[in-house]
Amino acid sequence: MSSHLTKYHLPNGHAQTELFDARVHSTPVQSEDKSSATLLLRRTDGQFVQAAVQFKPSASVSLVDIARGLTPESLVRITGRALTSRDASYDVAQFQIDEIVILSAAKVELPNTQIIHLHGAPGEVLPSEQSRAALIDRRLDNRLLDARVAATASIFKLFSGVHELAVEYLKAQDFYHVPTPALVNYEFPGEEDDLFAVPYFNKTARLTPTGEIHLGMALSADLERVYDFHTVFRREPASDGRHLTEFTMLELVFNLQHDWTEILDFADGLLVSLLQSLQNQDKYTRLTKTAKRLYPLAGTFNIGLNKNGKLPRIRFGEAKAILRDFVGLESDDHQDFTRAEEAALGKFLASDRSHLGPPTDVFFVTHFPKHLRSCNIYPSEDEDGTTQSFDVILRGQECVTGCRLLHSAEELRTAFANRPHPIDPETPEWRPYMTAHELGMPPWGGFGLGINRLVQGFLGLEDIRETVLFPRDAARLSP
């Protein structure tokens, strides 16, 4: 359905005739003498149109009768004349109808009128923020109606925008798109419960939890800079608004010329470019403004850059000290960040209390301890038990994980053997990855960016399921 107008310029100074498609928002209202009717129409951009039809004795079919029979959510094509100027505001435009074409009539009984009220039409009171949160499962059960709410649809359009912007950025940086398989035969010993196993002819396959393995092998084939924008799967048992079992990742790896800070710099440049484009380009700022009707934090995201134009970078140990000394949490240096710690750290750096630079909703935490990271991550040059790895915290939760990875076949074999649950590199499932290193693997690294969490954090959404038109978590397999 298009909300774009087609305009016909009429001679002799008459008003322009316009044609557009819209949804009937509510039951049409007929005048007492039945000579006219008023329709409240809704365009996909969220603007409402109050459209009037008049009885014409000369017409073969009465427009008033057509209008009177329209049901809410029916799709119509309208031809007529605007009585007020149309702009990007949230005001109701006035329109005089000359012709109505019913493209698709909706059923008289709609499954859930509470969702219709989320549009915030004139005369309707939006449910409170607490009521909207309680509606989430009902909205997901009636997702097609929910997605017609302009504020909801703006989330999916911004999600698409992130994809467009990222691909544009990577293309300019000489990256190549390499599709990675959704079905894999490997597993990580000790982490079997994290993956979905599926029958695959006479063997067992798994839904891929990451594209890193195959992207790394592409570097061994001398492709040098590669990425995939794809769906990954994790067996997340919690249905808590934070985790999905199926979500979208941008994963990229590339050859290193000097050291691992190239990965940090690239992640910094990509994130800042994406976020600033969402904040500055008109097509995305309009969507953010629309989202704000239901999501009050939309449009409040802060990108606090230091004097060098970079996002703040703090070491893992420093972050733990901040949590203890400035936030007042008892945080253990030997344990990874809890969800509460990530949120508290994010809140601190977003506040004026932060001593690390301007308030920011996005920053890096670097040098995670070796025991908290995968066995094949490069150790820190400081030889202090940390690794050349990082997370990006965005609006209080991790949305990027990156690192430099071992490229020496001998070091990788040793790392596999010393893993708490060792990996045998001679098994059929791991032999291709091991061969990639034995053939001469370049120094390499990269990161994975969770697009759902990026959009969730940018708009300040409480529930990550709102970032997906058809979300999947432990409790949901439909629609």
Side-chain angles (χ1 to χ4, degrees):
M1 182 177 81
S2 173
S3 63
H4 292 98
L5 296 177
T6 301
K7 297 186 178 182
Y8 305 93
H9 294 269
L10 301 182
N12 303 323
H14 292 283
Q16 291 179 329
T17 296
E18 302 178 359
L19 180 150
F20 63 91
D21 296 346
R23 294 280 178 185
V24 177
H25 184 73
S26 55
T27 303
V29 178
Q30 184 175 254
S31 64
E32 290 186 5
D33 61 4
K34 300 183 179 180
S35 65
S36 65
T38 303
L39 298 174
L40 184 61
L41 303 174
R42 191 183 71 240
R43 295 179 180 177
T44 55
D45 62 1
Q47 188 190 42
F48 290 95
V49 177
Q50 188 167 289
V53 293
Q54 303 289 335
F55 176 76
K56 296 180 180 179
S58 60
S60 58
V61 179
S62 170
L63 282 180
V64 175
D65 288 341
I66 294 174
R68 185 177 56 191
L70 290 172
T71 52
E73 294 304 303
S74 291
L75 180 61
V76 294
R77 181 163 292 160
I78 301 296
T79 304
R81 288 153 289 132
L83 304 180
T84 56
S85 62
R86 179 177 187 262
D87 56 26
S89 72
Y90 195 36
D91 297 330
V92 181
Q94 303 295 318
F95 203 83
Q96 180 67 48
I97 297 177
D98 294 330
E99 182 182 13
I100 302 174
V101 176
I102 302 175
L103 299 178
S104 183
K107 291 172 62 176
V108 175
E109 294 293 333
L110 293 173
N112 198 291
T113 54
Q114 287 179 291
I115 295 172
I116 303 301
H117 291 160
L118 292 174
H119 290 279
E124 295 179 352
V125 177
L126 277 174
S128 67
E129 195 170 348
Q130 185 176 3
S131 298
R132 294 199 301 271
L135 265 178
I136 181 63
D137 283 306
R138 191 171 295 174
R139 289 171 53 202
L140 295 178
D141 289 339
N142 298 277
R143 195 54 155 159
L144 301 185
L145 279 178
D146 183 49
R148 291 181 185 178
V149 177
T152 301
S154 66
I155 300 172
F156 313 136
K157 293 173 182 178
L158 283 166
F159 194 107
S160 177
V162 173
H163 177 272
E164 296 166 7
L165 293 166
V167 170
E168 180 182 335
Y169 187 91
L170 293 170
K171 180 182 176 182
Q173 299 294 325
D174 296 324
F175 272 77
Y176 295 97
H177 178 222
V178 172
T180 56
L183 292 166
V184 297
N185 66 342
Y186 64 80
E187 66 181 6
F188 297 94
E191 301 174 21
E192 294 85 355
D193 290 344
D194 295 339
L195 306 184
F196 289 104
V198 295
Y200 191 72
F201 300 102
N202 62 344
K203 55 187 76 172
T204 298
R206 294 162 191 86
L207 298 179
T208 183
T210 176
E212 175 194 298
I213 300 296
H214 288 88
L215 288 174
M217 289 193 285
L219 296 189
S220 184
D222 288 344
L223 289 177
E224 295 187 341
R225 298 164 79 83
V226 295
Y227 76 93
D228 195 9
F229 207 110
H230 62 138
T231 301
V232 295
F233 303 87
R234 306 279 172 84
R235 195 180 176 89
E236 298 284 358
S239 180
D240 56 4
R242 177 181 166 90
H243 295 98
L244 294 166
T245 54
E246 179 181 2
F247 54 96
T248 303
M249 289 281 286
L250 168 60
E251 293 188 275
L252 62 89
V253 296
F254 57 95
N255 293 6
L256 300 179
Q257 302 300 312
H258 302 290
D259 58 47
W260 83 290
T261 59
E262 296 168 47
I263 309 169
L264 286 167
D265 291 339
F266 194 91
D268 188 295
L270 173 62
L271 274 171
V272 171
S273 176
L274 290 177
L275 294 166
Q276 288 184 339
S277 295
L278 293 175
Q279 288 182 331
N280 298 328
Q281 293 188 23
D282 286 346
K283 85 184 269 193
Y284 305 122
T285 57
R286 287 196 298 270
L287 291 170
T288 301
K289 182 179 179 182
T290 301
K292 195 173 183 67
R293 299 177 190 174
L294 289 182
Y295 307 100
L297 290 180
T300 65
F301 194 89
N302 286 321
I303 308 171
L305 303 179
N306 61 26
K307 61 183 180 181
N308 297 318
K310 301 288 187 183
L311 294 170
R313 299 176 186 178
I314 55 177
R315 295 174 68 103
F316 179 89
E318 294 172 330
K320 288 287 187 173
I322 288 172
L323 288 170
R324 289 191 295 267
D325 299 341
F326 293 91
V327 180
L329 295 179
E330 294 182 4
S331 187
D332 186 347
D333 283 5
H334 297 285
Q335 300 295 322
D336 207 346
F337 297 111
T338 64
R339 180 176 180 176
E341 287 176 339
E342 283 184 352
L345 197 59
K347 188 175 181 179
F348 177 78
L349 267 80
S351 73
D352 292 330
R353 296 174 57 210
S354 174
H355 55 283
L356 299 170
T360 184
D361 285 310
V362 55
F363 56 92
F364 286 77
V365 178
T366 67
H367 297 85
F368 278 71
K370 185 175 178 58
H371 69 276
L372 297 179
R373 292 284 141 152
S374 299
C375 67
N376 60 332
I377 293 181
Y378 227 90
S380 172
E381 293 178 350
D382 298 336
E383 298 183 353
D384 57 357
T386 65
T387 57
Q388 298 183 14
S389 65
F390 65 91
D391 278 359
V392 173
I393 308 297
L394 187 143
R395 191 90 79 167
Q397 67 176 344
E398 172 265 320
C399 80
V400 177
T401 293
C403 61
R404 179 182 177 182
L405 291 146
L406 299 175
H407 66 278
S408 161
E410 292 75 17
E411 291 179 350
L412 178 61
R413 187 181 293 275
T414 300
F416 277 0
N418 292 334
R419 197 172 178 268
H421 299 274
I423 292 175
D424 181 358
E426 300 308 320
T427 56
E429 58 264 35
W430 284 105
R431 174 84 324 251
Y433 186 68
M434 196 69 215
T435 298
H437 290 75
E438 291 170 347
L439 289 173
M441 189 76 165
W444 68 296
F447 56 87
L449 165 60
I451 306 302
N452 302 86
R453 286 192 177 179
L454 174 66
V455 173
Q456 180 189 15
F458 179 72
L459 293 176
L461 309 178
E462 285 293 324
D463 197 313
I464 197 168
R465 292 177 295 177
E466 296 199 75
T467 65
V468 192
L469 182 56
F470 304 114
R472 294 291 179 262
D473 67 3
R476 180 168 295 276
L477 264 179
S478 65

Coordinates of all heavy atoms in Angstrom, one line a residue, residues 260-268 271 313-314 363-368 373 377 387-393 398 400-404 445-448:
W260 N 45.6 -5.1 16.6 CA 44.1 -5.3 16.8 C 43.4 -4.0 17.0 O 42.1 -4.0 16.9 CB 43.9 -6.2 18.0 CG 43.9 -5.5 19.4 CD1 45.0 -5.0 20.0 CD2 42.8 -5.3 20.3 NE1 44.7 -4.5 21.2 CE2 43.3 -4.7 21.4 CE3 41.5 -5.7 20.2 CZ2 42.5 -4.4 22.5 CZ3 40.7 -5.3 21.3 CH2 41.2 -4.7 22.4
T261 N 44.1 -2.9 17.2 CA 43.3 -1.6 17.3 C 42.6 -1.3 16.0 O 41.7 -0.4 16.0 CB 44.2 -0.5 17.8 OG1 45.3 -0.3 16.9 CG2 44.8 -0.8 19.2
E262 N 43.1 -1.9 14.9 CA 42.4 -1.7 13.6 C 40.9 -2.1 13.7 O 40.0 -1.5 13.1 CB 43.1 -2.4 12.5 CG 44.5 -2.0 12.2 CD 45.2 -2.9 11.3 OE1 44.7 -3.3 10.3 OE2 46.4 -3.3 11.6
I263 N 40.7 -3.2 14.5 CA 39.3 -3.7 14.7 C 38.5 -2.7 15.5 O 37.4 -2.4 15.2 CB 39.3 -5.1 15.4 CG1 40.3 -6.0 14.6 CG2 37.9 -5.7 15.4 CD1 40.6 -7.3 15.4
L264 N 39.1 -2.2 16.6 CA 38.4 -1.2 17.4 C 38.1 0.0 16.6 O 37.0 0.6 16.7 CB 39.3 -0.8 18.6 CG 39.5 -1.8 19.7 CD1 40.6 -1.4 20.6 CD2 38.2 -1.9 20.5
D265 N 39.0 0.5 15.8 CA 38.8 1.7 15.0 C 37.7 1.5 14.0 O 36.9 2.4 13.7 CB 40.1 2.2 14.3 CG 41.2 2.7 15.3 OD1 40.8 3.1 16.4 OD2 42.4 2.7 15.0
F266 N 37.7 0.3 13.4 CA 36.7 0.1 12.3 C 35.3 0.0 13.0 O 34.4 0.5 12.4 CB 37.0 -1.2 11.6 CG 36.2 -1.3 10.3 CD1 36.7 -0.8 9.1 CD2 35.0 -1.9 10.3 CE1 36.0 -0.9 8.0 CE2 34.2 -2.0 9.2 CZ 34.7 -1.5 8.0
A267 N 35.2 -0.7 14.1 CA 33.9 -0.8 14.8 C 33.4 0.6 15.2 O 32.3 0.9 15.1 CB 34.1 -1.7 16.0
D268 N 34.4 1.4 15.7 CA 34.0 2.8 16.1 C 33.5 3.5 14.9 O 32.5 4.2 15.0 CB 35.3 3.4 16.7 CG 35.0 4.8 17.3 OD1 34.6 5.7 16.6 OD2 35.2 4.9 18.5
L271 N 30.0 2.2 13.7 CA 28.9 2.5 14.7 C 28.6 4.0 14.6 O 27.4 4.4 14.6 CB 29.3 2.1 16.1 CG 29.0 0.7 16.5 CD1 29.6 0.4 17.8 CD2 27.5 0.4 16.6
R313 N 36.7 4.4 25.4 CA 37.2 3.0 25.5 C 37.7 2.9 26.9 O 38.6 3.6 27.3 CB 38.3 2.7 24.5 CG 37.8 2.9 23.1 CD 39.0 2.7 22.1 NE 38.6 2.9 20.7 CZ 39.4 2.9 19.6 NH1 40.7 2.5 19.8 NH2 38.9 3.2 18.4
I314 N 37.1 1.9 27.6 CA 37.6 1.6 29.0 C 37.9 0.1 29.1 O 37.2 -0.7 28.5 CB 36.5 2.0 30.1 CG1 35.2 1.4 29.8 CG2 36.4 3.5 30.1 CD1 34.2 1.7 30.9
F363 N 29.6 3.0 24.1 CA 31.0 3.0 24.4 C 31.6 1.6 24.4 O 30.9 0.6 24.3 CB 31.2 3.6 25.8 CG 30.5 2.9 26.9 CD1 31.1 1.9 27.6 CD2 29.2 3.3 27.3 CE1 30.4 1.2 28.7 CE2 28.5 2.6 28.3 CZ 29.1 1.6 29.0
F364 N 32.9 1.5 24.4 CA 33.7 0.3 24.3 C 34.1 -0.2 25.7 O 34.6 0.7 26.5 CB 34.9 0.4 23.4 CG 34.6 0.5 22.0 CD1 34.1 1.6 21.4 CD2 34.8 -0.6 21.1 CE1 33.9 1.7 20.0 CE2 34.6 -0.6 19.8 CZ 34.1 0.6 19.2
V365 N 34.1 -1.5 26.0 CA 34.8 -2.1 27.1 C 35.8 -3.1 26.5 O 35.4 -4.0 25.7 CB 33.9 -2.8 28.0 CG1 34.7 -3.5 29.2 CG2 32.8 -1.9 28.6
T366 N 37.1 -2.9 26.8 CA 38.1 -3.7 26.1 C 38.9 -4.6 27.1 O 38.7 -4.5 28.3 CB 39.2 -2.8 25.5 OG1 39.9 -2.0 26.5 CG2 38.5 -1.8 24.5
H367 N 39.7 -5.5 26.6 CA 40.6 -6.3 27.4 C 39.9 -7.2 28.4 O 40.2 -7.2 29.6 CB 41.7 -5.4 28.1 CG 42.6 -4.7 27.2 ND1 42.3 -3.5 26.7 CD2 43.8 -5.0 26.7 CE1 43.3 -3.1 25.9 NE2 44.2 -4.0 25.9
F368 N 39.0 -8.0 27.9 CA 38.3 -9.0 28.7 C 39.3 -10.0 29.2 O 40.1 -10.4 28.4 CB 37.1 -9.6 28.0 CG 35.9 -8.7 28.0 CD1 35.8 -7.6 27.2 CD2 34.8 -9.1 28.8 CE1 34.7 -6.8 27.2 CE2 33.6 -8.3 28.8 CZ 33.6 -7.2 28.0
R373 N 36.6 -15.4 27.7 CA 36.5 -15.3 26.2 C 36.8 -16.7 25.6 O 37.4 -17.6 26.2 CB 37.4 -14.2 25.7 CG 37.0 -12.8 26.1 CD 35.9 -12.3 25.2 NE 34.9 -11.6 26.0 CZ 34.1 -10.6 25.5 NH1 34.2 -10.3 24.2 NH2 33.3 -10.0 26.2
I377 N 41.0 -16.6 21.0 CA 41.2 -15.1 20.9 C 42.6 -14.8 21.4 O 43.2 -15.4 22.3 CB 40.2 -14.4 21.8 CG1 38.8 -14.6 21.3 CG2 40.5 -12.9 22.0 CD1 37.7 -13.9 22.1
T387 N 42.7 -10.3 27.1 CA 42.7 -10.6 25.7 C 42.5 -9.4 24.8 O 42.0 -8.3 25.3 CB 41.5 -11.6 25.3 OG1 40.3 -11.0 25.8 CG2 41.7 -12.9 26.0
Q388 N 42.8 -9.5 23.5 CA 42.6 -8.5 22.6 C 41.1 -8.6 22.1 O 40.8 -9.0 21.0 CB 43.6 -8.6 21.4 CG 45.0 -8.4 21.9 CD 46.0 -8.4 20.7 OE1 45.7 -8.3 19.5 NE2 47.3 -8.6 21.0
S389 N 40.2 -8.2 23.0 CA 38.8 -8.4 22.7 C 38.0 -7.2 23.3 O 38.6 -6.4 24.1 CB 38.3 -9.7 23.3 OG 38.4 -9.6 24.7
F390 N 36.8 -7.0 22.9 CA 36.0 -5.9 23.3 C 34.5 -6.2 23.2 O 34.1 -7.1 22.4 CB 36.3 -4.6 22.6 CG 36.0 -4.7 21.1 CD1 34.8 -4.2 20.6 CD2 36.9 -5.1 20.2 CE1 34.4 -4.3 19.3 CE2 36.6 -5.2 18.8 CZ 35.4 -4.7 18.4
D391 N 33.7 -5.5 23.9 CA 32.3 -5.4 23.8 C 31.9 -3.9 23.5 O 32.7 -3.0 24.0 CB 31.5 -5.9 25.0 CG 31.4 -7.4 25.0 OD1 31.8 -8.1 24.1 OD2 30.8 -7.9 26.0
V392 N 30.8 -3.7 22.9 CA 30.3 -2.3 22.8 C 29.0 -2.4 23.6 O 28.1 -3.2 23.4 CB 30.0 -1.9 21.4 CG1 29.2 -0.5 21.4 CG2 31.3 -1.7 20.6
I393 N 28.8 -1.5 24.6 CA 27.6 -1.3 25.4 C 26.8 -0.2 24.8 O 27.3 0.9 24.7 CB 27.9 -1.0 26.9 CG1 28.9 -2.1 27.4 CG2 26.7 -1.0 27.7 CD1 28.4 -3.5 27.5
E398 N 25.0 -5.0 26.0 CA 26.0 -5.4 24.9 C 25.3 -5.6 23.6 O 24.3 -6.2 23.5 CB 26.7 -6.6 25.4 CG 27.7 -7.2 24.3 CD 27.0 -8.3 23.5 OE1 26.2 -9.1 24.1 OE2 27.2 -8.3 22.3
V400 N 27.7 -5.4 20.6 CA 28.8 -5.8 19.7 C 29.8 -6.6 20.5 O 30.1 -6.2 21.6 CB 29.5 -4.5 19.1 CG1 30.7 -5.0 18.2 CG2 28.5 -3.7 18.2
T401 N 30.3 -7.6 19.9 CA 31.5 -8.3 20.5 C 32.5 -8.5 19.4 O 32.2 -8.9 18.3 CB 31.1 -9.7 21.0 OG1 30.2 -9.5 22.2 CG2 32.3 -10.5 21.5
G402 N 33.8 -8.2 19.7 CA 34.8 -8.3 18.7 C 36.2 -8.7 19.3 O 36.3 -8.7 20.5
C403 N 37.1 -9.0 18.4 CA 38.4 -9.5 18.9 C 39.4 -9.7 17.8 O 39.0 -9.8 16.6 CB 38.2 -10.8 19.7 SG 37.6 -12.1 18.6
R404 N 40.6 -9.9 18.1 CA 41.6 -10.5 17.2 C 41.7 -12.0 17.5 O 41.6 -12.4 18.6 CB 43.0 -9.9 17.4 CG 44.0 -10.5 16.5 CD 45.4 -9.9 16.7 NE 46.4 -10.6 15.8 CZ 47.7 -10.4 15.8 NH1 48.2 -9.5 16.6 NH2 48.4 -11.0 14.9
G445 N 40.8 -10.6 12.4 CA 39.9 -10.3 13.5 C 38.7 -9.7 13.0 O 38.6 -9.4 11.8
G446 N 37.7 -9.4 13.8 CA 36.5 -8.7 13.4 C 35.5 -8.6 14.5 O 35.9 -8.7 15.7
F447 N 34.3 -8.5 14.2 CA 33.2 -8.4 15.2 C 31.9 -8.7 14.7 O 31.6 -8.8 13.5 CB 33.2 -6.9 15.8 CG 33.0 -5.8 14.8 CD1 31.8 -5.4 14.5 CD2 34.1 -5.2 14.3 CE1 31.6 -4.4 13.5 CE2 34.0 -4.2 13.3 CZ 32.7 -3.8 13.0
G448 N 30.9 -8.9 15.6 CA 29.5 -9.2 15.3 C 28.7 -8.1 15.9 O 28.8 -7.8 17.1

